Amino acid sequence: MTPASSSLIDIATVSQIYAGRDGSPTWALRDVSLQIARGEFVCLIDPSGCGKTTLLQLIAGFLPPTRGAVTFHGRPIQGPGPERGVVFQDYALFAWMTARQNVEFGLRMRGQPRSLRRKRALDALTRVGLAHAADKYPHELSGGMRQRVAVARALVVEPEVLLMDEPFAAVDAMTRQTLQEDLLRLWRETGVSIVFVTHNIDEAAFLAQRVVVMGAHPGTIKADLTIAAPYPRDRGSSEFGALYAAISGRLADTERRAA
Ligand code: ADP
């Protein structure tokens, strides 16, 4: 199979321009092209303001591109859809719903019968290790648990891609590592593609099959690194150190050139 025929998401020469308050344009993205294959785990990493969130929003269908095209299975993305699940940094759970009700929400919107959605929500919570907390409200859960609920909520509708915007940035370092390990397990079990935005080199080196380094003003792709290291990756190994150094070197190049 050629890379083009296995491409799930195709971002073709996309530019995104926002109008500032005074009417002046901000080029959040300029001529960005990126293909993401089925089942791939891609991290986008950057200095801030390089348009990573904009790129995720275009794939999610929250925004139409100013120029260029974003397609999914070869068809232009017209708006949000269940095949593209989104997980934000701030959980975005409904405070008045239990974990199970939060996970069930998308299924309810789609008119699934009560007994089926209850079962699917419990299955999704089990997958993220939270079956025991199904009847708790968000304020009764830790940050890491809330983020697991957000992942379960995205997974319950069986999306083809998960779009994750710095999902683990708000939790402590230990929890973050556990969440990363759990995400890798879920990725392998489900075959879902993942596009994961991070500022964290260690996180990208631990998770990704590909690391896309972006640069700012305007947002562009500076490097696209294939990471062949097998999973699970050992943070203490010399291979991991080399991987970290390679990503860090490309980021430093980008920042040096920008300066
Ligand atoms: P990142 O996620 O990499 O930090 P964003 O996609 O959020 O980048 O933003 C890229 C650029 O576009 C930034 O300069 C930001 O200020 C600008 N921008 C983002 N959203 C808007 C908006 N709605 N209106 C105006 N400018 C925006």
Side-chain angles (χ1 to χ4, degrees), residues 18-19 26 28 46-54 217:
Y18 295 111
T26 299
D46 76 316
S48 245
C50 70
K52 298 179 310 301
T53 298
T54 299
H217 312 300

Side-chain angles (χ1 to χ4, degrees), residues 2 4 14 29 52 59 62 66 80 84 86 93 103 110 112 116 122 129 135 159 167 217 237 240:
T2 61
V14 162
L29 297 171
K52 298 179 310 301
I59 303 171
F62 297 153
T66 315
R84 287 163 284 127
V86 182
L93 300 181
V103 176
R110 229 152 290 130
Q112 285 220 342
L116 181 62
L122 282 175
D135 294 323
H217 312 300
S237 69
F240 192 84

Side-chain angles (χ1 to χ4, degrees), residues 89-91 93 130 138-150 167-168 170-172 175 179:
Q89 180 181 336
D90 57 2
Y91 330 116
L93 300 181
L130 275 189
H139 75 269
E140 299 175 286
L141 304 173
S142 69
M145 290 165 91
R146 275 182 246 168
Q147 201 51 284
R148 282 172 205 270
V149 177
F168 307 149
V171 300
D172 64 85
T175 306
L179 289 171

